[in-house]
């Protein structure tokens, strides 16, 4: 083979390598991002985050102070699985406490549920904000993910003990369910509809149940927040609190 033929063959091989590499990266899920490195428990630079900015719309009083704020019974359902890193755990606790800032400590009611390999009611329904904060502070990060069971426990607690007509669950997770033993998406949706419970869902990582969680939120008059930046979480929880407070 002469030099020209060898040179042409080498160019053809190089072109094929480039095309193969490009096709392998067609899907954004195949590209390493700060989110992927964070989820894999690899440290990232402080300036990098794992999601996208989320626009929040906190209702404001337009009646000149003549409106009467609504009281509510709400459940914080928090991912306590092993896929939650220490940094994510800190953001979850801070954001849940931002929601608890909105409770009046008298009439508003809250419940805290942790879920990992099992679902646990860390604090049953109460108006004692200090007790709710203690349950949030105790959020672990170990084991698998019984997300549907966690949702079910929270809704049963609200349905059985909640004294307010306005009831809501706020779920945050970073992974798919892989440990629930009795609850399913269809059961969760049916129970929420039967007991008029709004479900707000926050997914920190793209999962196979993204559309399911979105549909549950929409069909229960809640909202779904997909892949928010971690620093946005406190604003999201404050927005949900304001929506529940709005008459």
């Amino acid at each position: 083979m002469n030099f020209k033929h060898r040179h042409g063959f080498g160019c053809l091989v190089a072109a094929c390598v480039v095309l193969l590499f490009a096709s392998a990266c067609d899907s954004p899920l195949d590209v390493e991002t700060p989110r992927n490195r964070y989820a894999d428990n690899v440290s990232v630079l402080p300036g990098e985050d794992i999601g996208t900015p989320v626009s929040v719309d906190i209702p404001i009083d337009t009646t000149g102070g003549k409106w009467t704020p609504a009281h509510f019974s709400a459940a914080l359902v928090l991912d306590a699985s092993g896929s939650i890193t220490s940094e994510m755990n800190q953001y979850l606790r801070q954001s849940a406490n931002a929601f608890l800032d909105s409770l009046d400590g008298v009439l508003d009611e809250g419940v805290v549920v942790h879920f990992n390999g099992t679902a646990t009611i860390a604090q049953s329904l109460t108006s004692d904000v200090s007790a709710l904060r203690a349950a949030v502070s105790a959020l672990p990060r170990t084991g698998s993910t019984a997300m549907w069971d966690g949702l079910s426990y929270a809704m049963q607690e609200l349905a059985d003990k909640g004294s307010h007509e306005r009831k809501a669950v706020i779920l945050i997770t970073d992974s798919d369910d892989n440990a629930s033993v009795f609850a399913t998406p269809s059961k969760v949706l049916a129970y929420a509809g039967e007991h008029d419970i709004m479900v707000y869902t926050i997914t920190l990582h793209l999962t196979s149940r993204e559309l399911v969680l979105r549909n549950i939120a929409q069909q229960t008059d809640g909202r779904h927040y997909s892949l928010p930046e971690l620093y946005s979480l406190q604003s999201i929880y404050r927005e949900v609190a304001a929506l529940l407070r709005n008459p």
Side-chain angles (χ1 to χ4, degrees), residues 12 20 52 55 59 89 99 104 151 168 211 214 229 231 238:
L12 178 61
L20 285 172
T52 54
S55 176
N89 178 276
F99 179 85
D104 66 359
L151 270 172
L211 183 59
R214 181 185 300 275
E229 289 184 333
Y231 73 79
R238 291 192 180 103

Side-chain angles (χ1 to χ4, degrees), residues 28-239:
L29 297 179
D30 295 329
V31 179
E32 186 182 75
T33 64
R35 169 177 290 279
N36 293 340
R37 297 199 299 276
Y38 197 94
D40 291 338
N41 202 20
V42 178
S43 61
V44 298
L45 296 176
E48 294 181 304
D49 210 317
I50 68 166
T52 54
V54 172
S55 176
V56 296
D57 181 20
I58 298 179
I60 59 174
D61 176 18
T62 59
T63 66
K66 297 178 181 179
W67 69 305
T68 301
H71 294 286
F72 53 81
S73 303
L76 295 171
V77 183
L78 307 172
D79 194 332
S81 65
S83 60
I84 297 291
T85 66
S86 59
E87 292 86 354
M88 293 170 74
N89 178 276
Q90 181 179 0
Y91 273 103
L92 263 62
R93 289 184 281 112
Q94 290 175 346
S95 303
N97 276 306
F99 179 85
L100 295 178
D101 288 342
S102 69
L103 272 61
D104 66 359
V106 180
L107 295 177
D108 298 324
E109 300 169 335
V111 56
V112 177
V113 175
H114 302 163
F115 64 90
N116 41 39
T118 59
T120 303
I121 298 180
Q123 174 57 58
S124 57
L125 198 70
T126 182
S127 59
D128 185 342
V129 178
S130 295
L132 293 167
R133 291 193 192 280
V136 168
S137 297
L139 180 68
R141 51 184 189 92
T142 183
S144 47
T145 309
M147 178 178 65
W148 303 122
D149 285 357
L151 270 172
S152 180
Y153 274 31
M155 291 193 296
Q156 289 179 27
E157 183 78 0
L158 292 177
D160 293 343
K161 301 178 182 179
S163 60
H164 299 297
E165 180 178 352
R166 185 164 297 185
K167 298 179 177 67
V169 171
I170 305 98
L171 165 81
I172 187 166
T173 186
D174 84 319
S175 58
D176 285 323
D177 185 289
N178 56 18
S180 290
V181 296
F182 63 89
T184 64
S186 59
K187 289 180 179 179
V188 165
L189 181 58
Y191 195 90
E194 179 183 353
H195 297 278
D196 198 19
I197 299 173
M198 294 177 285
V199 181
Y200 293 82
T201 54
I202 307 167
T203 51
L204 298 177
H205 195 269
L206 190 64
T207 76
S208 64
R209 293 295 188 174
E210 181 80 13
L211 183 59
V212 174
L213 289 170
R214 181 185 300 275
N215 287 338
I216 289 175
Q218 291 176 345
Q219 292 183 44
T220 59
D221 293 327
R223 290 190 181 183
H224 177 66
Y225 301 89
S226 179
L227 313 183
E229 289 184 333
L230 291 176
Y231 73 79
S232 302
L233 290 177
Q234 290 193 45
S235 295
I236 290 172
Y237 275 84
R238 291 192 180 103
E239 177 187 55

